Each structure stands twice: as structure tokens, then as C-alpha cells.
């Protein structure tokens, strides 16, 4: 049950970020619209196989652009593993 609630919360937060980002990306409305939409996509990525496949394809095509993201993800994974062992 807890897993289902966490998954629903992740979907809700991601969709809210994507919608808010798209609204803020309309010309004339100030704010970091596309950045918020991108954050929403990254929040949703663990839940969607299609998004993961697209991310991998883009990361292979533009490795210099995705290198900082990959380094941060690797640090996060190492920290989670270290936390589980302790």
C-alpha cells in the first residue's frame, strides 16, 4: 500500500510540474517554464520505461550534455547503497 501511495504521489508531483512548466513557458508569463517541465520529466523517469529509453537515447547522442546529470545520478546511487549498508 505504501508503495502505491508513493507511486501516486510521484505521478501527481511530476504531472503538476510538467503542467506548471508548460504554462510558464507561454510567452509573456515570467518564470523557468521549460526547466520545471524538465524536472517533472526527471521525477517521472523511474516510473516510465518509455521515458527511460528516450533518456538513454539522448544521453548516447549528446554525452557532453548529459555527463553532469549522469555523475550526479551515480553519486546519489552510491550514497543510497552506503546508507543501506549502515
Amino acid at each position: 500500500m505504501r508503495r502505491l501511495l508513493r507511486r501516486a504521489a510521484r505521478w501527481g508531483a511530476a504531472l503538476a510540474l510538467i503542467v506548471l512548466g508548460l504554462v510558464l513557458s507561454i510567452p509573456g508569463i515570467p518564470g523557468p517554464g521549460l526547466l520545471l517541465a524538465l524536472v517533472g520529466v526527471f521525477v517521472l523517469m523511474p516510473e516510465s520505461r518509455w521515458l527511460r529509453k528516450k533518456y538513454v537515447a539522448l544521453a548516447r547522442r549528446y554525452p557532453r550534455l548529459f555527463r553532469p546529470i549522469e555523475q550526479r545520478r551515480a553519486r546519489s546511487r552510491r550514497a543510497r547503497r552506503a546508507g543501506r549498508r549502515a
Side-chain angles (χ1 to χ4, degrees):
M1 183 67 167
R2 186 175 178 182
R3 185 176 176 203
L4 180 64
L5 287 174
R6 183 180 293 162
R7 193 169 181 201
R10 181 177 286 163
W11 272 92
L15 291 177
L17 284 170
I18 291 170
V19 168
L20 182 63
L22 292 177
V23 168
L24 288 176
S25 67
I26 296 172
I29 300 177
L34 294 179
L35 182 63
L36 275 178
L38 186 62
V39 168
V41 168
F42 276 111
V43 168
L44 196 56
M45 203 164 49
E47 299 292 330
S48 172
R49 181 177 294 152
W50 180 83
L51 280 175
R52 282 193 305 268
K53 286 168 66 175
K54 293 299 176 189
Y55 173 80
V56 168
L58 284 172
R60 284 186 184 149
R61 186 169 184 169
Y62 304 106
R64 287 181 54 200
L65 182 66
F66 284 87
R67 188 174 302 130
I69 298 168
E70 288 299 323
Q71 289 172 345
R72 186 173 176 97
R73 290 179 73 205
R75 278 195 310 255
S76 176
R77 273 187 244 129
R78 282 194 301 267
R80 276 195 305 260
R81 276 190 237 137
R84 277 189 235 153
R85 291 181 194 155

